Amino acid sequence: YCTVDDRDDFFVALLSGLAGLGVSSLLPRTWEAKATLIVGQSLSTLNPDYSALLVSQRLSTTYASVATTRPVLERVIDKLGLGETPAELLRRVEADAPLNSTLLTIAARDRDAGRAAAIANAVAEELIAKSDVVVGRQTELQAAIEADLAATRNDIASAQAEARALAEIPDRTAAQQARLQVLEDRLPALRATFATLVSYATSSTANLLSVVDPATPPVEPVAPRVLLNAILAAVLGLAVAVGIVAVREYLDDTVKSHEDLAELVDVPVLGAIPLMRNGRDIGASTPRATLLHPRSRAAESYRSLRTNVEFAAVDRPVRHLLVTSPGSREGKTVTTTNLGIAFAQA
């Protein structure tokens, strides 16, 4: 009978960890690249509108769902020449839009680092192409608003500069006075037009989608995680070893001690003989330890057995003793020899 001691547990865990390390090292590597987009213009607006920001946050979750739809993935496959189906690509592409944020992250995994970055950027580009603000008439409208804003800003600056110069002339002519009056009347209208254009531009950029951090080829693979797999394999191997020992202990019904034997057959134990091995205790393994090594533990055990046998038969002297065992080479001859020597010495 044997059990797994602490040293065996260590070796089982070590072998399992090395096996996990070897298997993980042989697995193909997987790389992950991420592209980050922003919905709206919250980073560039001097005075962000809370309602527009809230709309952009809600739209980011919608764009995250659109990023993994079949039409977008099909266009990415056609653009990059990937030999796979949209369903297969979907297992390697993820889109995440955190709550209370206008940022959108697109992650792509592939066995090639450069192709992973290309897939993430292609999905981002196709998602931008799906935005109504960036394509069609919305693009032209947004460009027109930006151009009108720039022109109106220049008109206001020019009118203010000219009016300031005329106001500094002490003796203005009638024509100069009339021109100054025209400029002063025109400035409020220009400012009102500028405010209106700013309102239009702010409201129309809530749905604008743009890339703030394009995907680049990653440096380190995300899988397999060799060290983590080795640690998990070591822990799993140790748990399996402990479980096997626990099950074996639970199912084992063999007799391992004299206490088990006494409980099983309901008879007293007369003696227990230690193992007779080579060593300083008895000098050498021998069937005559009681004679040749009288001070050894084995010799003392046989003398105690002799005494217990005598006390067990006080009323009737013992004339015959039978020494037996369930199997061969279990110490019957050694026990008979040493017990006979102990009786002779007495």
Side-chain angles (χ1 to χ4, degrees):
Y1 172 75
C2 64
T3 59
V4 178
D5 55 17
D6 294 338
R7 185 173 59 183
D8 294 331
D9 292 345
F10 171 76
F11 282 118
V12 170
L14 179 61
L15 292 177
S16 300
L18 292 177
L21 181 64
V23 173
S24 298
S25 300
L26 296 177
L27 293 176
R29 295 185 177 184
T30 302
W31 308 83
E32 183 180 74
K34 295 182 179 181
T36 304
L37 301 90
I38 187 171
V39 181
Q41 295 294 311
S42 58
L43 295 180
S44 59
T45 303
L46 296 178
N47 297 311
D49 183 24
Y50 177 75
S51 59
L53 183 62
L54 185 60
V55 170
S56 298
Q57 291 176 357
R58 294 180 177 178
L59 285 174
S60 63
T61 59
T62 303
Y63 279 124
S65 301
V66 175
T68 54
T69 56
R70 177 177 292 272
V72 173
L73 297 180
E74 287 178 345
R75 292 183 61 85
V76 171
I77 293 174
D78 295 338
K79 182 178 181 180
L80 300 180
L82 303 177
E84 54 186 320
T85 64
E88 294 172 342
L89 181 59
L90 179 60
R91 291 193 290 265
R92 300 189 290 111
V93 176
E94 295 180 356
D96 180 49
L99 296 176
N100 300 326
S101 175
T102 60
L103 295 178
L104 170 64
T105 302
I106 298 175
R109 293 191 176 192
D110 196 88
R111 293 184 179 179
D112 183 82
R115 189 163 56 230
I119 293 174
N121 288 327
V123 173
E125 293 172 1
E126 293 301 325
L127 188 61
I128 292 176
K130 289 293 182 181
S131 174
D132 293 334
V133 176
V134 181
V135 296
R137 292 181 301 173
Q138 291 292 338
T139 302
E140 299 175 359
L141 178 60
Q142 182 66 24
I145 293 175
E146 295 293 338
D148 290 343
L149 272 173
T152 304
R153 185 184 296 110
N154 293 333
D155 290 342
I156 293 175
S158 299
Q160 287 178 338
E162 186 179 357
R164 189 180 304 109
L166 291 173
E168 292 176 355
I169 299 176
D171 299 326
R172 291 186 293 273
T173 63
Q176 292 174 337
Q177 183 63 35
R179 178 59 179 170
L180 177 60
Q181 187 63 40
V182 170
L183 292 175
E184 290 178 348
D185 294 339
R186 184 184 177 191
L187 279 174
L190 289 175
R191 293 190 180 99
T193 301
F194 184 79
T196 303
L197 291 173
V198 169
S199 177
Y200 287 157
T202 303
S203 61
S204 61
T205 58
N207 193 35
L208 184 62
L209 189 63
S210 56
V211 177
V212 294
D213 186 14
T216 57
V219 179
E220 296 291 336
V222 295
R225 304 176 66 178
V226 179
L227 181 58
L228 178 61
N229 291 345
I231 295 175
L232 292 178
V235 173
L236 181 60
L238 181 61
V240 171
V242 173
I244 292 175
V245 171
V247 172
R248 188 171 60 184
E249 288 276 3
Y250 178 77
L251 298 177
D252 186 21
D253 58 356
T254 58
V255 177
K256 304 180 188 63
S257 64
H258 60 273
E259 289 85 359
D260 296 339
L261 180 62
E263 183 180 356
L264 180 65
V265 300
D266 195 22
V267 294
V269 177
L270 297 180
I273 309 301
L275 292 176
M276 300 172 63
R277 295 172 177 169
N278 294 331
R280 290 179 298 177
D281 184 28
I282 61 175
S285 177
T286 173
R288 295 179 295 165
T290 305
L291 178 63
L292 301 180
H293 306 283
R295 296 182 180 275
S296 65
R297 291 176 56 200
E300 182 62 30
S301 299
Y302 281 116
R303 287 191 290 269
S304 297
L305 176 60
R306 177 202 66 194
T307 301
N308 291 335
V309 170
E310 291 176 345
F311 277 104
V314 176
D315 299 333
R316 184 175 61 181
V318 175
R319 299 302 180 184
H320 298 83
L321 286 177
L322 175 64
V323 180
T324 185
S325 70
S328 61
R329 302 184 61 84
E330 292 183 343
K332 295 182 290 294
T333 300
V334 174
T335 300
T336 302
T337 302
N338 284 278
L339 187 58
I341 293 173
F343 272 106
Q345 289 175 341

